[in-house]
Amino acid sequence: MAPAFFLTENPAEWICYFPGTALLYGREGGAEKMRRGWIAIGILLLSAALFSAGLVRKLASLRGSEPSSERIIAVIPKAVENSWWNQVRLGALAGAQGTPYRVVWNGPALESDHISQIIFLEHALARRSAAVVIAPNDSLALSRPVEEAAARIPCVLIDSPLAETGQLPLVATDNYRAGELAARLLATAIDGRGKVLVINHLRNSESTEERARGFAAAMADDYPEIRVVQSPYAETSLMDYRAQTAELLARHPDTAAVFAVNLETSEGVCRALQREYHARKVKFVGFDSSALLVGSLADGGIEALIVQNPFEIGRRGVRRALDALENRQGEVFTAIPVFVVTRRNLERMKRKFPAALGL
Ligand code: BDR
């Protein structure tokens, strides 16, 4: 702790309120006072020297003038808030195994916090990471910071593109086509007619927006008797999607089916249908998977889940960064296939892909 010191009314006297030295300084007179004063000044100078040395070292490491002692691949998810991102983390670690690089995983607590994600990106640059693998949680706000980073070190996008991705490599689900697939599954479940609600996630969360776009386009192109109602974007990822779904179903009592664009929204819809609308047999196709969603699928509360492979997204994202670091040519877009999980194949999928199902 840095010593705090104050000028007394007599400028010749400095009082050092540093634990221990305060005891040295008193109102005794003469030689005793002089001896104690010199001890206090000695401790003060030693503390100041130690403090300033530490400050210099910290500034040097932040400024990046201190060469990083190891080769780091910074992996920055949209958030670290749920099991889906933890699967990405495990995949990223697996991608770096057996290489001279080490993965450093840092991300915001919530997918709606793009400010923190930018700070994590800047910190990765300040510590002289060799490469960055990032899932932009806001395709607009992260565009310029990621492009500036890509001018300095290799950058690979995972899960979600930027608004202006250009030629940055992207490793992700083909989300637009996954949205089209969800539309066909749901249209079949309601015999091609009726009102369908889409429960959206955050604005500029590109992966989920692409799913909603693919879903709406497939319905418009191939199912003219289906009317799609889009929910408003959530303001934060703390949104209560259960309450939002219940409110929309109350406002649209003629709803035949619901599509949710990711893990959080799907769990919210699942809880709403379990609590208030199960008897109405609203058909539901969700995206991503968890124990809650798998349980509801087994009970007949969910028609199908579009399940991604987050482990593979993380692993291939790091491998793509290694390609760039070792000057190997790689694809611009690496599509990671999804699984369609229904009651018919659920037991087999649970045995084959428990992690992808969030089990
Ligand atoms: C889920 O939300 C989206 O941002 C990801 O693509 C994934 O589907 C993770 O929370």
Side-chain angles (χ1 to χ4, degrees), residues 78 81-82 84-85 111 159 201 205 207-208 211 261-264 287-288 308:
K78 283 184 178 178
E81 66 190 318
N82 64 34
W84 195 90
W85 290 112
E111 290 193 20
D159 178 69
H201 186 45
S205 159
S207 60
T208 49
R211 294 164 199 164
V261 296
N262 75 337
L263 179 60
E264 291 96 332
F287 216 99
D288 297 330
Q308 300 182 85

PDB file of all heavy atoms in Angstrom, residues 78 81-82 84-85 111 159 201 205 207-208 211 261-264 287-288 308, ligand 1:
ATOM      1  N   LYS A  78     -18.743 -14.129 -26.777  1.00  0.00           N
ATOM      2  CA  LYS A  78     -19.729 -13.057 -26.600  1.00  0.00           C
ATOM      3  C   LYS A  78     -19.955 -12.825 -25.117  1.00  0.00           C
ATOM      4  O   LYS A  78     -20.245 -11.722 -24.655  1.00  0.00           O
ATOM      5  CB  LYS A  78     -21.066 -13.454 -27.241  1.00  0.00           C
ATOM      6  CG  LYS A  78     -21.114 -13.336 -28.747  1.00  0.00           C
ATOM      7  CD  LYS A  78     -22.513 -13.663 -29.240  1.00  0.00           C
ATOM      8  CE  LYS A  78     -22.624 -13.517 -30.740  1.00  0.00           C
ATOM      9  NZ  LYS A  78     -23.976 -13.895 -31.219  1.00  0.00           N
ATOM     10  N   GLU A  81     -21.455 -16.516 -19.944  1.00  0.00           N
ATOM     11  CA  GLU A  81     -22.577 -16.669 -19.010  1.00  0.00           C
ATOM     12  C   GLU A  81     -23.201 -18.050 -18.986  1.00  0.00           C
ATOM     13  O   GLU A  81     -23.959 -18.367 -18.093  1.00  0.00           O
ATOM     14  CB  GLU A  81     -23.670 -15.648 -19.357  1.00  0.00           C
ATOM     15  CG  GLU A  81     -24.314 -15.915 -20.714  1.00  0.00           C
ATOM     16  CD  GLU A  81     -25.236 -14.773 -21.183  1.00  0.00           C
ATOM     17  OE1 GLU A  81     -25.982 -14.243 -20.353  1.00  0.00           O
ATOM     18  OE2 GLU A  81     -25.161 -14.435 -22.351  1.00  0.00           O
ATOM     19  N   ASN A  82     -22.962 -18.896 -19.994  1.00  0.00           N
ATOM     20  CA  ASN A  82     -23.743 -20.148 -19.979  1.00  0.00           C
ATOM     21  C   ASN A  82     -22.957 -21.336 -20.497  1.00  0.00           C
ATOM     22  O   ASN A  82     -21.820 -21.221 -20.965  1.00  0.00           O
ATOM     23  CB  ASN A  82     -25.032 -19.940 -20.796  1.00  0.00           C
ATOM     24  CG  ASN A  82     -24.734 -19.679 -22.271  1.00  0.00           C
ATOM     25  OD1 ASN A  82     -23.783 -20.209 -22.835  1.00  0.00           O
ATOM     26  ND2 ASN A  82     -25.544 -18.843 -22.899  1.00  0.00           N
ATOM     27  N   TRP A  84     -23.245 -23.070 -23.091  1.00  0.00           N
ATOM     28  CA  TRP A  84     -22.910 -23.110 -24.524  1.00  0.00           C
ATOM     29  C   TRP A  84     -21.528 -22.502 -24.739  1.00  0.00           C
ATOM     30  O   TRP A  84     -20.668 -23.066 -25.405  1.00  0.00           O
ATOM     31  CB  TRP A  84     -23.969 -22.321 -25.317  1.00  0.00           C
ATOM     32  CG  TRP A  84     -23.942 -22.583 -26.775  1.00  0.00           C
ATOM     33  CD1 TRP A  84     -24.639 -23.538 -27.446  1.00  0.00           C
ATOM     34  CD2 TRP A  84     -23.164 -21.883 -27.765  1.00  0.00           C
ATOM     35  NE1 TRP A  84     -24.351 -23.479 -28.785  1.00  0.00           N
ATOM     36  CE2 TRP A  84     -23.451 -22.467 -29.011  1.00  0.00           C
ATOM     37  CE3 TRP A  84     -22.252 -20.808 -27.721  1.00  0.00           C
ATOM     38  CZ2 TRP A  84     -22.877 -22.035 -30.203  1.00  0.00           C
ATOM     39  CZ3 TRP A  84     -21.677 -20.373 -28.907  1.00  0.00           C
ATOM     40  CH2 TRP A  84     -21.984 -20.984 -30.114  1.00  0.00           C
ATOM     41  N   TRP A  85     -21.278 -21.391 -24.096  1.00  0.00           N
ATOM     42  CA  TRP A  85     -19.951 -20.739 -24.243  1.00  0.00           C
ATOM     43  C   TRP A  85     -18.880 -21.561 -23.537  1.00  0.00           C
ATOM     44  O   TRP A  85     -17.717 -21.573 -23.967  1.00  0.00           O
ATOM     45  CB  TRP A  85     -19.994 -19.301 -23.736  1.00  0.00           C
ATOM     46  CG  TRP A  85     -20.791 -18.440 -24.642  1.00  0.00           C
ATOM     47  CD1 TRP A  85     -22.007 -17.853 -24.376  1.00  0.00           C
ATOM     48  CD2 TRP A  85     -20.475 -18.079 -25.994  1.00  0.00           C
ATOM     49  NE1 TRP A  85     -22.447 -17.168 -25.479  1.00  0.00           N
ATOM     50  CE2 TRP A  85     -21.540 -17.286 -26.481  1.00  0.00           C
ATOM     51  CE3 TRP A  85     -19.407 -18.362 -26.841  1.00  0.00           C
ATOM     52  CZ2 TRP A  85     -21.563 -16.765 -27.780  1.00  0.00           C
ATOM     53  CZ3 TRP A  85     -19.416 -17.853 -28.137  1.00  0.00           C
ATOM     54  CH2 TRP A  85     -20.474 -17.054 -28.597  1.00  0.00           C
ATOM     55  N   GLU A 111     -24.010 -11.277 -22.838  1.00  0.00           N
ATOM     56  CA  GLU A 111     -23.874 -11.076 -24.295  1.00  0.00           C
ATOM     57  C   GLU A 111     -24.256  -9.650 -24.694  1.00  0.00           C
ATOM     58  O   GLU A 111     -23.927  -9.199 -25.775  1.00  0.00           O
ATOM     59  CB  GLU A 111     -24.754 -12.084 -25.048  1.00  0.00           C
ATOM     60  CG  GLU A 111     -24.243 -13.504 -24.961  1.00  0.00           C
ATOM     61  CD  GLU A 111     -24.917 -14.447 -25.951  1.00  0.00           C
ATOM     62  OE1 GLU A 111     -25.499 -13.981 -26.942  1.00  0.00           O
ATOM     63  OE2 GLU A 111     -24.841 -15.674 -25.729  1.00  0.00           O
ATOM     64  N   ASP A 159     -18.737 -17.921 -34.366  1.00  0.00           N
ATOM     65  CA  ASP A 159     -20.162 -17.812 -34.020  1.00  0.00           C
ATOM     66  C   ASP A 159     -20.894 -16.718 -34.790  1.00  0.00           C
ATOM     67  O   ASP A 159     -21.963 -16.979 -35.340  1.00  0.00           O
ATOM     68  CB  ASP A 159     -20.340 -17.568 -32.513  1.00  0.00           C
ATOM     69  CG  ASP A 159     -21.797 -17.408 -32.157  1.00  0.00           C
ATOM     70  OD1 ASP A 159     -22.536 -18.401 -32.249  1.00  0.00           O
ATOM     71  OD2 ASP A 159     -22.208 -16.273 -31.844  1.00  0.00           O
ATOM     72  N   HIS A 201     -33.416 -12.432 -30.003  1.00  0.00           N
ATOM     73  CA  HIS A 201     -32.418 -12.189 -28.937  1.00  0.00           C
ATOM     74  C   HIS A 201     -32.030 -10.715 -29.007  1.00  0.00           C
ATOM     75  O   HIS A 201     -32.894  -9.853 -29.155  1.00  0.00           O
ATOM     76  CB  HIS A 201     -31.251 -13.161 -29.186  1.00  0.00           C
ATOM     77  CG  HIS A 201     -30.189 -13.186 -28.151  1.00  0.00           C
ATOM     78  ND1 HIS A 201     -30.441 -13.218 -26.801  1.00  0.00           N
ATOM     79  CD2 HIS A 201     -28.837 -13.211 -28.278  1.00  0.00           C
ATOM     80  CE1 HIS A 201     -29.290 -13.248 -26.153  1.00  0.00           C
ATOM     81  NE2 HIS A 201     -28.306 -13.251 -27.011  1.00  0.00           N
ATOM     82  N   SER A 205     -26.741  -9.029 -32.589  1.00  0.00           N
ATOM     83  CA  SER A 205     -26.134 -10.337 -32.300  1.00  0.00           C
ATOM     84  C   SER A 205     -26.314 -11.136 -33.590  1.00  0.00           C
ATOM     85  O   SER A 205     -27.355 -11.771 -33.816  1.00  0.00           O
ATOM     86  CB  SER A 205     -26.864 -11.005 -31.138  1.00  0.00           C
ATOM     87  OG  SER A 205     -26.627 -12.405 -31.167  1.00  0.00           O
ATOM     88  N   SER A 207     -25.425 -13.803 -35.210  1.00  0.00           N
ATOM     89  CA  SER A 207     -25.772 -15.225 -35.417  1.00  0.00           C
ATOM     90  C   SER A 207     -27.279 -15.423 -35.251  1.00  0.00           C
ATOM     91  O   SER A 207     -27.923 -16.095 -36.058  1.00  0.00           O
ATOM     92  CB  SER A 207     -25.024 -16.106 -34.419  1.00  0.00           C
ATOM     93  OG  SER A 207     -25.361 -15.744 -33.088  1.00  0.00           O
ATOM     94  N   THR A 208     -27.847 -14.799 -34.227  1.00  0.00           N
ATOM     95  CA  THR A 208     -29.286 -15.007 -33.991  1.00  0.00           C
ATOM     96  C   THR A 208     -30.127 -14.219 -34.991  1.00  0.00           C
ATOM     97  O   THR A 208     -31.206 -14.655 -35.398  1.00  0.00           O
ATOM     98  CB  THR A 208     -29.636 -14.589 -32.547  1.00  0.00           C
ATOM     99  OG1 THR A 208     -29.094 -13.288 -32.271  1.00  0.00           O
ATOM    100  CG2 THR A 208     -29.059 -15.594 -31.564  1.00  0.00           C
ATOM    101  N   ARG A 211     -30.450 -16.270 -38.121  1.00  0.00           N
ATOM    102  CA  ARG A 211     -31.424 -17.371 -37.991  1.00  0.00           C
ATOM    103  C   ARG A 211     -32.842 -16.838 -38.231  1.00  0.00           C
ATOM    104  O   ARG A 211     -33.647 -17.435 -38.939  1.00  0.00           O
ATOM    105  CB  ARG A 211     -31.325 -17.998 -36.600  1.00  0.00           C
ATOM    106  CG  ARG A 211     -30.010 -18.700 -36.359  1.00  0.00           C
ATOM    107  CD  ARG A 211     -29.739 -18.984 -34.902  1.00  0.00           C
ATOM    108  NE  ARG A 211     -28.311 -19.236 -34.716  1.00  0.00           N
ATOM    109  CZ  ARG A 211     -27.712 -19.217 -33.544  1.00  0.00           C
ATOM    110  NH1 ARG A 211     -28.404 -19.008 -32.426  1.00  0.00           N
ATOM    111  NH2 ARG A 211     -26.413 -19.418 -33.455  1.00  0.00           N
ATOM    112  N   VAL A 261     -34.548 -18.284 -31.158  1.00  0.00           N
ATOM    113  CA  VAL A 261     -33.320 -18.212 -31.976  1.00  0.00           C
ATOM    114  C   VAL A 261     -32.040 -18.653 -31.276  1.00  0.00           C
ATOM    115  O   VAL A 261     -30.979 -18.698 -31.906  1.00  0.00           O
ATOM    116  CB  VAL A 261     -33.115 -16.776 -32.499  1.00  0.00           C
ATOM    117  CG1 VAL A 261     -34.238 -16.365 -33.432  1.00  0.00           C
ATOM    118  CG2 VAL A 261     -32.983 -15.787 -31.327  1.00  0.00           C
ATOM    119  N   ASN A 262     -32.095 -18.935 -29.960  1.00  0.00           N
ATOM    120  CA  ASN A 262     -30.864 -19.402 -29.298  1.00  0.00           C
ATOM    121  C   ASN A 262     -31.173 -20.004 -27.941  1.00  0.00           C
ATOM    122  O   ASN A 262     -32.342 -20.189 -27.580  1.00  0.00           O
ATOM    123  CB  ASN A 262     -29.863 -18.249 -29.171  1.00  0.00           C
ATOM    124  CG  ASN A 262     -30.262 -17.259 -28.074  1.00  0.00           C
ATOM    125  OD1 ASN A 262     -31.425 -17.168 -27.698  1.00  0.00           O
ATOM    126  ND2 ASN A 262     -29.287 -16.553 -27.545  1.00  0.00           N
ATOM    127  N   LEU A 263     -30.124 -20.307 -27.172  1.00  0.00           N
ATOM    128  CA  LEU A 263     -30.304 -21.024 -25.895  1.00  0.00           C
ATOM    129  C   LEU A 263     -31.171 -20.233 -24.927  1.00  0.00           C
ATOM    130  O   LEU A 263     -32.162 -20.767 -24.394  1.00  0.00           O
ATOM    131  CB  LEU A 263     -28.936 -21.298 -25.272  1.00  0.00           C
ATOM    132  CG  LEU A 263     -28.948 -22.031 -23.922  1.00  0.00           C
ATOM    133  CD1 LEU A 263     -29.622 -23.392 -24.036  1.00  0.00           C
ATOM    134  CD2 LEU A 263     -27.527 -22.190 -23.368  1.00  0.00           C
ATOM    135  N   GLU A 264     -30.839 -18.968 -24.706  1.00  0.00           N
ATOM    136  CA  GLU A 264     -31.596 -18.206 -23.700  1.00  0.00           C
ATOM    137  C   GLU A 264     -33.064 -18.068 -24.085  1.00  0.00           C
ATOM    138  O   GLU A 264     -33.966 -18.279 -23.275  1.00  0.00           O
ATOM    139  CB  GLU A 264     -31.006 -16.792 -23.521  1.00  0.00           C
ATOM    140  CG  GLU A 264     -29.651 -16.747 -22.881  1.00  0.00           C
ATOM    141  CD  GLU A 264     -28.548 -16.684 -23.918  1.00  0.00           C
ATOM    142  OE1 GLU A 264     -28.756 -17.181 -25.033  1.00  0.00           O
ATOM    143  OE2 GLU A 264     -27.484 -16.144 -23.590  1.00  0.00           O
ATOM    144  N   PHE A 287     -33.615 -23.504 -30.524  1.00  0.00           N
ATOM    145  CA  PHE A 287     -32.238 -23.477 -31.046  1.00  0.00           C
ATOM    146  C   PHE A 287     -31.291 -23.672 -29.880  1.00  0.00           C
ATOM    147  O   PHE A 287     -31.508 -23.071 -28.818  1.00  0.00           O
ATOM    148  CB  PHE A 287     -31.955 -22.138 -31.730  1.00  0.00           C
ATOM    149  CG  PHE A 287     -31.061 -22.253 -32.938  1.00  0.00           C
ATOM    150  CD1 PHE A 287     -31.596 -22.277 -34.216  1.00  0.00           C
ATOM    151  CD2 PHE A 287     -29.692 -22.359 -32.796  1.00  0.00           C
ATOM    152  CE1 PHE A 287     -30.781 -22.386 -35.340  1.00  0.00           C
ATOM    153  CE2 PHE A 287     -28.860 -22.462 -33.912  1.00  0.00           C
ATOM    154  CZ  PHE A 287     -29.405 -22.483 -35.177  1.00  0.00           C
ATOM    155  N   ASP A 288     -30.268 -24.513 -30.057  1.00  0.00           N
ATOM    156  CA  ASP A 288     -29.334 -24.877 -28.992  1.00  0.00           C
ATOM    157  C   ASP A 288     -30.012 -25.884 -28.062  1.00  0.00           C
ATOM    158  O   ASP A 288     -31.178 -26.272 -28.269  1.00  0.00           O
ATOM    159  CB  ASP A 288     -28.848 -23.637 -28.207  1.00  0.00           C
ATOM    160  CG  ASP A 288     -28.061 -22.698 -29.106  1.00  0.00           C
ATOM    161  OD1 ASP A 288     -27.414 -23.179 -30.057  1.00  0.00           O
ATOM    162  OD2 ASP A 288     -28.108 -21.478 -28.875  1.00  0.00           O
ATOM    163  N   GLN A 308     -26.321 -26.844 -32.261  1.00  0.00           N
ATOM    164  CA  GLN A 308     -25.009 -26.528 -32.851  1.00  0.00           C
ATOM    165  C   GLN A 308     -23.932 -27.414 -32.235  1.00  0.00           C
ATOM    166  O   GLN A 308     -24.185 -28.154 -31.284  1.00  0.00           O
ATOM    167  CB  GLN A 308     -24.671 -25.057 -32.592  1.00  0.00           C
ATOM    168  CG  GLN A 308     -25.658 -24.059 -33.157  1.00  0.00           C
ATOM    169  CD  GLN A 308     -25.223 -22.649 -32.884  1.00  0.00           C
ATOM    170  OE1 GLN A 308     -24.432 -22.063 -33.613  1.00  0.00           O
ATOM    171  NE2 GLN A 308     -25.719 -22.065 -31.805  1.00  0.00           N
TER     172      GLN A 308
HETATM  173  C1  BDR B   1     -26.179 -18.700 -28.056  1.00  0.00           C
HETATM  174  O1  BDR B   1     -26.495 -17.348 -28.351  1.00  0.00           O
HETATM  175  C2  BDR B   1     -25.917 -16.963 -29.593  1.00  0.00           C
HETATM  176  O2  BDR B   1     -25.275 -15.751 -29.462  1.00  0.00           O
HETATM  177  C3  BDR B   1     -24.977 -18.059 -29.985  1.00  0.00           C
HETATM  178  O3  BDR B   1     -24.916 -18.183 -31.408  1.00  0.00           O
HETATM  179  C4  BDR B   1     -25.604 -19.277 -29.350  1.00  0.00           C
HETATM  180  O4  BDR B   1     -26.645 -19.765 -30.167  1.00  0.00           O
HETATM  181  C5  BDR B   1     -25.214 -18.772 -26.901  1.00  0.00           C
HETATM  182  O5  BDR B   1     -25.702 -18.141 -25.775  1.00  0.00           O
END
